[in-house]
Each structure stands twice: as C-alpha cells, then as structure tokens.
Amino acid sequence: MLVSFRSSRLIPSLIPVVMLAFFAGRPVGSRPVVADRDYVYVAGTMGIDPTTGELAAGVAGQVRQAMENIAVILRAEGTGFSRVLSVNVFLSDTRHFSEMNEVYRSYFPVEPPTRATVAVDLPLSGALVQIALVAARPHVTRRVIKPARLKSPELPYSWGILAGNTLFIAGATSRDPGTYEPVTGDVGTQTRRVFGNIGAVLHAAEMDYGDLSSCTVFMDDSRGFSEMNAAYREFVTDDPPARATVRAGLMNPVFKVEIQCVAERGANRSVVVASGASRPTSPFSPAVRVGQRMYLAGMVGRGPEGIAKGDIDAQTRQTLANLGATLTAAGMDFSNVTAMHVFLPHIEHAAAVGPILDHMIGSGPSRTVIGTGLMGPDNLVEIMMFANSVSQ
C-alpha cells in the first residue's frame, strides 16, 4: 500500500523543494547546488514517486525511490553516484538499518562514499528514510582513503574520501581498529576511540587533527554531553573545528557517540568570530574558513538578552542573526551559503521555521531538516551552514 503524499501530514515549506519539484520534471527552488564550482549538495530527499506524488511502500521501496530521485539530480548536474563523497542517511527507526543497507549497497558496488546513519524524526508522516549527500563535479579528483591502521568497514561506506584538498570522514563510532568490533565503555572512552579512528583516516590522507574544519556529533543520550566534551577537547586543542552536537538514535545500541567530520588542507585557515563576539571557550569554533570555503557551527537562538523560551519564531530569527553576523565577519552573506542542516527537537515546528528561512535566506541553499534532540533544554532550533565565497 502506498502512502499518499497529498494526504499525508506534510510540512510543505520544509520538505526540500528540490524533491517536490520532481513533479515538474526538473529541480527548482531549493536547488541541489549553489555557489560551489566543485560540489553538488543534494538536500534531504525522501522516497516519493514524482509521477504519483506518493511515498513508495516499505523501507526498501522508499530507499530505492529516494536514490532514483537523487540520480536525476546528479545527472542534471553532470555527475553521478560514482562521484559521491559523503552521505547522511536519516532513518525513522533503527530497525530499518539492515533493509536500508541492502538497497543502498546496490548503488555503490565499489568505492562507496563516506556515510553517517542515524535515527531521527522526519518531516513527513509515513516517511521511513531521508538521504542527503555531497557529490564531486567531474573535474574534482576523488580518492578513497584506506587507512592501514583500520580494518576496512564491513558496511557499505569508506572511512574517508579525499576530494582535491578536502577530506570527508565517515561517521566514526567506537570500533577496534584491527577487528572492526565495537569497543564498549563510557562516553569518554568511546569518544577517545572514535578520535583514534578519525586520526587514522587523517594520517592516511597526510593530515592531522589541526586540519579538521567541521564535525557533527551524534549522541544517543544528551546527559553524556559534558563527558564527551572533555574527551573531545583532548584532540582539538587549538583552533578547533566548527561543530554541531545533537541527540539521535545510533545504529548499534552499544554505541554512545558517532562523529562525522570534514577536514581541509590549507595554509590560509582561520577561525571566524562575529564582530563584537568573544571567542568561545567550548571545544569548537563559531566558524572555520579555509580558502574560499567556510564551515559554520550549529548555532542556536541565544542573543544578547538570552533565549526566548518557547518561542520558535524568535529563536529561529536570532539563530539566523547569529549565523548572518558570522558570515559578515568573513565578508559573506546568506547568498554564499551552499547547504544547511536544520535540527529541531519538535519536528512539528518545521511549519513555523520554513517560511522564516524562505524569507531570510531564500530557496538557494540545499536544506535538510530533521527532528533531533538539542543539547540545551530551552533550544528549539539549531542550524549548521556551509558557505563558499566563490560563485559557480
């Protein structure tokens, strides 16, 4: 039985327009790529059949349809699955992991991209999966990184993909480097093991922790936040990467943390702080710029007067003001944003957030919206951005 797109609980302004526009035959609106000559950013895409407007049946059907929708975008941009660098798979339920992998693997039979897979709330009732990715354009070199210190993954992903000077690192969990078996322990123990594995990927790409530009930390329980931070800061002591930390379901219940990163080589690396703002003492930077690219941390709606508790409209506007001020400090604005991830602890707030993003940012950047827990109890929205100073 198909779930009808027209009759399902839909949050129109937040469902990626790039996916909705398949009904017209060509992605419009929230385009898959903006202002980046090297990459194609595909917004979170679900398994809706563009000819019927209905969700495909079952996990396998939705994964296959989502991938076919993405294939249309990639072909239109002159690239394809063999050029994909990094993937985020968002599942509605961890129990769908094995079935998703079965279909997913068929699209990447060799040299698969890096990947992180977590369970979150999705913005469409009946949706079981949402997939977002980054692909390289044809002129960009793509090389799989196979660290000698790490056993090859048994799942369909690569530890790292080097695209030019940029290294995409898979969502790393606490696994023994020699056996790929889980390493259990508390949050601190697992975070250190995760960074050990990330370090092996960096080393194999002739980089180190100082080259990390952006990380997303997925935690199964926000109560371990302080413990994770204590271990995290041991590895990123100077000019740490930008970062977002959210709560999501991990695919193996023994894991407490998963960390997905991007690193970039460049002598002109700098930390960007908004004018008048003090450099934070947390183990992450507001933004890191390397050459033409800037990686902005996940920011929340806390302003000079604090946070507007319970007010999603005010928090969204303040979050965008914080991001905008950071872009301004680097001589950029929202027109330079290529991709954004919107994290909402209450997915129903997507209906309120969407129009604000449309008005303040427009339809340019690819936009992926998911329901996740945030680290502050009063935070209703967190937004992470990627920007590029050079237009396509």
Side-chain angles (χ1 to χ4, degrees):
M1 175 179 172
L2 293 175
V3 180
S4 172
F5 167 80
R6 289 178 288 272
S7 63
S8 296
R9 178 181 62 83
L10 173 66
I11 303 170
S13 56
L14 265 290
I15 297 298
V17 181
V18 67
M19 186 266 299
L20 298 184
F22 273 96
F23 300 116
R26 177 67 177 90
V28 295
S30 182
R31 293 169 289 169
V33 61
V34 179
D36 198 309
R37 297 173 300 178
D38 298 329
Y39 303 141
V40 176
Y41 294 92
V42 179
T45 303
M46 288 176 282
I48 295 177
D49 186 326
T51 62
T52 66
E54 296 175 328
L55 279 167
V59 178
Q62 289 193 25
V63 173
R64 189 172 292 107
Q65 186 61 66
M67 295 299 279
E68 291 302 319
N69 292 347
I70 290 169
V72 174
I73 297 171
L74 295 177
R75 283 196 297 269
E77 296 295 329
T79 188
F81 286 122
S82 66
R83 307 287 296 155
V84 175
L85 308 169
S86 176
V87 179
N88 281 94
V89 177
F90 301 111
L91 296 173
S92 64
D93 193 317
T94 58
R95 292 173 295 183
H96 299 324
F97 185 56
S98 294
E99 195 172 354
M100 176 277 295
N101 270 327
E102 238 180 276
V103 179
Y104 180 94
R105 190 186 299 270
S106 68
Y107 288 87
F108 301 106
V110 295
E111 298 193 332
T114 65
R115 192 184 77 182
T117 303
V118 295
V120 300
D121 292 331
L122 300 178
L124 174 62
S125 179
L128 304 176
V129 63
Q130 181 174 226
I131 300 173
L133 58 78
V134 184
R137 292 190 179 279
H139 68 273
V140 178
T141 59
R142 178 190 187 274
R143 178 165 66 92
V144 174
I145 300 300
K146 300 178 180 179
R149 304 178 189 174
L150 295 178
K151 182 180 178 182
S152 296
E154 296 170 2
L155 296 168
Y157 69 88
S158 296
W159 285 117
I161 299 284
L162 187 62
N165 291 324
T166 305
L167 176 65
F168 294 84
I169 303 173
T173 50
S174 181
R175 292 187 180 274
D176 184 282
T179 67
Y180 195 70
E181 291 299 313
V183 175
T184 59
D186 58 23
V187 175
T189 298
Q190 291 200 19
T191 301
R192 292 180 182 93
R193 180 63 267 152
V194 166
F195 265 100
N197 293 344
I198 288 173
V201 182
L202 289 164
H203 178 80
E206 299 181 342
M207 297 188 191
D208 58 33
Y209 294 120
D211 293 307
L212 290 173
S213 302
S214 176
C215 292
T216 303
V217 179
F218 300 103
M219 301 190 69
D220 75 328
D221 190 334
S222 57
R223 290 174 296 183
F225 183 59
S226 295
E227 191 179 351
M228 180 278 295
N229 265 337
Y232 186 100
R233 71 171 68 245
E234 295 173 14
F235 298 87
V236 291
T237 53
D238 298 318
D239 294 342
R243 194 186 79 184
T245 303
V246 297
R247 181 171 53 79
L250 306 186
M251 294 302 105
N252 188 324
V254 305
F255 293 140
K256 300 181 182 299
V257 62
E258 179 169 345
I259 303 178
Q260 179 184 30
C261 297
V262 180
E264 188 160 358
R265 280 191 290 251
N268 54 352
R269 173 191 173 96
S270 61
V271 170
V272 180
V273 181
S275 176
S278 57
R279 191 154 176 162
T281 57
S282 300
F284 63 89
S285 299
V288 170
R289 182 170 184 174
V290 186
Q292 69 192 44
R293 290 193 179 84
M294 188 158 80
Y295 305 83
L296 289 88
M299 297 192 186
V300 297
R302 184 170 295 278
E305 306 301 319
I307 196 163
K309 293 183 180 181
D311 191 335
I312 185 62
D313 185 280
Q315 286 197 30
T316 302
R317 293 179 187 280
Q318 184 61 56
T319 298
L320 292 175
N322 295 341
L323 289 160
T326 307
L327 286 163
T328 297
M332 300 189 206
D333 57 33
F334 288 132
S335 69
N336 295 107
V337 177
T338 55
M340 58 192 296
H341 290 175
V342 181
F343 305 107
L344 300 170
H346 306 289
I347 195 63
E348 61 271 20
H349 283 158
V353 173
I356 299 172
L357 296 176
D358 292 341
H359 175 70
M360 297 184 68
I361 298 178
S363 59
S366 76
R367 187 192 305 173
T368 299
V369 181
I370 56 173
T372 63
L374 303 183
M375 294 302 107
D378 297 323
N379 297 334
L380 297 178
V381 60
E382 180 169 343
I383 301 176
M384 188 180 203
M385 289 181 171
F386 306 91
N388 192 312
S389 63
V390 180
S391 298
Q392 184 180 330

